[in-house]
Amino acid sequence: MNLPSHGSNPQHLFKSLGLSLPEKYIDFSANINPLGPPPALKEKWNDFYREITVYPDPFAEKLRKKIADKEQISAQSILIGNGGAELITLVARFLSGKKVVVVEPSFSEYEKAGRANDCEIQYHQLLEPHFELSMEQILPSLTNAGALFLCNPNNPTGIQYSVSTVISIIQECEKQNCFVVLDEAFYDFLVNYESYIPYINKFSNLIIIRSMTKMFAIPGLRLGYLAAAPALIAEISRLQPHWSINSIALLAGELCLQNEEYIKETQVYISEERERLSTFFKRNNFVMTSSQVNFYLLRDSNQKEQNKLFEFLLLKGIIPRHTFNFPGLEGNWLRFAIKSKDENSKLMEVLLEWRQLH
């Protein structure tokens, strides 16, 4: 099936399947904060209007300074980007022609950007249903590798890898002159998160990618940042187009960083809803990954393949993310974002309908 390679924009999914998009539907395919953007953003929105007549700061100095102060690192260790997608592309250009290992299942953009820049892509496949990451098992893949892409917490499983394992991988990669690209797009949904950013001062091979669009529900603005040693940031930043980030995104980013209570509120909400969903799935013989964030993989343990469930949900106006383009998953799981209480309840209602038929 020639299905879209990303979530969101469900009209393209339905078109590829030869189906009509329902008048009413719930899109579970995009992993965005269900609480929406911080209220302060709406309050200040009209104030941002005057900025559209001014060129944005190409060095994003104010936002870099705020992030650097928050993370207690040098502003020279930060590069602001037009969303995670641009940052992944810049890193792939920096790695052009190298052997790149991708820990799978994982975000498809690593491979796509790597291939576009003549990288040799190799998979290190984690095995379902627990998708455990092991230093011993990954070691053979690192031979002659220029970089390792690791998404933590992982997209699409939602699983957080142990700190000791991740650090041991970074250490081993450093010995082998291999960069570690650690994608932390969903780090701020974790309740007990231990930051890897202090390690950029210890490991010159560590590149951290963070998104600001997921937690703050601003994917239309496109905003994220890289954290790495200043020398690495200087090299990668030379590949970035001038005025890459628009003025409104920069202002929104500064405002979002002030909303610590909003982040805590989100974390509590996600944890409670995830537990409610997990209880329901166990009771009704569905398998859910051990997610720690705002999305999860799910499958019906009564079905070997999930195609029929996928089609059933779509026809009911429930839109999950397919997993056909995640190596190792091959469509045998469905990914769902955690949405509002009512929307999550609707999902459970439709899954009960399915269970009565199967």
Side-chain angles (χ1 to χ4, degrees), residues 55-87:
Y55 278 95
D57 175 5
F59 306 109
E61 286 187 344
K62 287 183 180 179
L63 182 55
R64 284 171 63 212
K65 177 70 164 55
K66 286 183 182 294
I67 293 170
D69 289 347
K70 180 174 179 285
E71 299 296 337
Q72 297 185 316
I73 57 174
S74 163
Q76 305 308 311
S77 292
I78 298 288
L79 174 64
I80 308 297
N82 187 14
E86 185 198 29
L87 296 170

Side-chain angles (χ1 to χ4, degrees), residues 150-349:
L150 179 63
C151 186
N152 181 47
N154 177 262
N155 177 14
T157 66
I159 292 171
Q160 179 187 14
Y161 305 124
S162 76
V163 173
S164 60
T165 300
V166 173
I167 295 300
S168 67
I169 289 171
I170 297 170
Q171 289 173 327
E172 185 58 36
C173 285
E174 184 182 45
K175 292 176 189 174
Q176 301 199 33
N177 296 314
C178 174
F179 291 103
V180 175
V181 185
L182 187 62
D183 187 345
E184 295 192 315
F186 298 94
Y187 84 98
D188 38 7
F189 287 94
L190 295 168
V191 175
N192 297 309
Y193 170 72
E194 185 172 335
S195 177
Y196 291 93
I197 281 191
Y199 290 99
I200 65 171
N201 295 318
K202 183 176 181 181
F203 298 111
S204 60
N205 65 322
L206 179 59
I207 301 170
I208 295 175
I209 298 176
R210 286 186 173 177
S211 169
M212 295 184 71
T213 63
K214 309 297 192 301
M215 170 56 74
F216 299 111
I218 53 171
L221 288 181
R222 313 304 306 138
L223 191 63
Y225 61 93
L226 282 183
L232 261 180
I233 292 295
E235 284 192 64
I236 296 171
S237 65
R238 283 198 288 267
L239 304 171
Q240 186 177 39
H242 213 57
W243 294 310
S244 177
I245 309 97
N246 69 75
S247 298
I248 294 177
L250 292 173
L251 289 169
E254 292 175 40
L255 189 62
C256 286
L257 287 175
Q258 302 169 20
N259 281 262
E260 290 294 330
E261 285 304 313
Y262 165 87
I263 294 173
K264 291 176 183 175
E265 179 187 354
T266 298
Q267 291 172 344
V268 170
Y269 171 79
I270 293 295
S271 295
E272 290 175 350
E273 279 299 285
R274 191 174 58 238
E275 183 59 33
R276 184 168 77 98
L277 287 159
S278 176
T279 300
F280 169 83
F281 296 144
K282 287 176 184 174
R283 191 167 60 239
N284 291 281
N285 211 23
F286 292 93
V287 179
M288 175 188 182
T289 50
S290 300
S291 173
Q292 296 297 308
V293 289
N294 61 320
F295 57 89
Y296 53 91
L297 288 182
L298 187 75
R299 71 180 183 198
D300 180 358
S301 57
N302 294 348
Q303 305 285 319
K304 185 177 180 181
E305 296 181 347
Q306 305 302 304
N307 293 7
K308 289 182 180 178
L309 173 58
F310 183 44
E311 292 171 10
F312 177 85
L313 291 169
L314 292 178
L315 293 173
K316 292 288 184 178
I318 300 291
I319 305 175
R321 169 70 161 87
H322 73 85
T323 60
F324 286 102
N325 65 323
F326 288 102
L329 299 186
E330 321 303 343
N332 291 322
W333 296 78
L334 298 174
R335 193 192 70 190
F336 293 84
I338 293 175
K339 305 281 284 183
S340 71
K341 281 184 165 65
D342 287 346
E343 289 169 325
N344 294 330
S345 294
K346 180 62 178 178
L347 169 62
M348 291 188 276
E349 178 187 318

Side-chain angles (χ1 to χ4, degrees), residues 25-67:
Y25 61 85
I26 305 173
D27 187 2
F28 285 86
S29 71
N31 306 330
I32 303 301
N33 189 337
L35 302 186
L41 198 55
K42 186 174 183 179
E43 293 167 11
K44 291 286 187 180
W45 191 252
N46 287 340
D47 295 343
F48 293 167
Y49 177 76
R50 65 178 180 272
E51 298 298 325
I52 66 174
T53 64
V54 181
Y55 278 95
D57 175 5
F59 306 109
E61 286 187 344
K62 287 183 180 179
L63 182 55
R64 284 171 63 212
K65 177 70 164 55
K66 286 183 182 294
I67 293 170

